[in-house]
Amino acid sequence: MPAFQHSITSSAPSPTAIAVPPSLSLPVIEAAFPRQLHPYWPRLQENTRAWLLEKRLMPADAVAEYADGLCYTDLMAGYYLGAPDEVLQAIADFSAWFFVWDDRHDRDIVHHRPAAWRRLRRRLHAALDSPRDRLRHEDPLVAAFADTVTRLYSFLTPAWNARFARHFHAVIEAYDREFRNRVEGVVPSVQEYLALRRLTFAHWIWTDLLEAGAGCELPDRIRKHSSYRRAALLSQEFAAWYNDLCSLPKEIAGDEVHNLGISLIQHEGLTLEEAIQEMRRLVAKCVDAFLVAEADALQFALDLDDGTARGKELSAAVRACVRNMRNWFSTVYWFHHESGRYKVDNWDDRSTPPYVNNEAAGEK
């Protein structure tokens, strides 16, 4: 089934064709954040589908029935505009792997497999540090991760690779904290949850990959500059919080404890309806704040052009990264209304995704 069948082609989006539920509708995104798509997308979808099969991350019948409808490649093709094809392919495969990993993590919790999770956690840490040594690992999830990391490590410098590894080690540990919270039934407070969410959503991983897409590693003085960092953070916060808003029914059905809405209900005493309204308020506020931060970041980019070749290069790279931060808003928004990952009302069991295969998820 081709993605974008209802809303977009590679040349012209028509998002009004999709009926977005009123509780999830954000008119500002539909009006002020035009959706774009990398021209490589058709090949990207085809190649990632083949990669999922090759790496045994999903069985053939599941790939045939669900892979395109999950829209994983669409999400990345709408974000990393301007990236070389091979970079976008590596990022898209990594993103597809991330979703499969997230499902394995969930299944290990649901089926009470702490030993299996601990083993996987150790293996992923090891693969992150020396991916070439794990390309033929017995666990397809580890081998596929090693494959994507090896490819991602080939684009920039060892310093960027070390930063990516540092950031993803933190993501793995955050998933471990989520594992323990769910096993123990601990719902984190709102502030605890927001801090954890920045890691489990991999805020800084997706931001690091903007540099790979732009073909330019940014020095710390630029990455950590308040103008650039605030725009990057707000784009990721929007994505994480909007994901929580859209996935709230799925996660309540699955006895999740990690969702902004669940934390608001548990710790702030809100009803479900009040929590949804508060999440909508926070998401809308995030969009408004980004528009201000975006202008500051683009001015910062212009100021970097001091007439030297290096200044021009850095200015262009920052502009490319900030433009794609903007693209994250529209691609995330429409992904949640097109992907079968969030259409829980169509599932036979609202707590069990139909695209998760028992054997591929570590089950026997």
Side-chain angles (χ1 to χ4, degrees), residues 289-304:
F290 175 79
L291 293 172
V292 175
E294 177 189 35
D296 291 343
L298 289 173
Q299 183 59 56
F300 172 57
L302 289 175
D303 294 342
L304 290 171

Side-chain angles (χ1 to χ4, degrees), residues 14 19 46 66 80 93 108 111 140 151 174 178 195 246 317:
S14 54
E46 178 183 340
Y66 298 111
Y80 296 97
D93 291 348
D108 279 348
H111 292 282
R151 290 153 64 196
E178 279 206 350
C246 294

Side-chain angles (χ1 to χ4, degrees), residues 234 237-238 241 281-291 329:
L234 285 166
E237 296 281 54
F238 166 81
W241 300 349
R281 186 188 71 81
L282 291 171
V283 166
K285 183 178 178 182
C286 194
V287 176
D288 292 341
F290 175 79
L291 293 172
F329 285 80

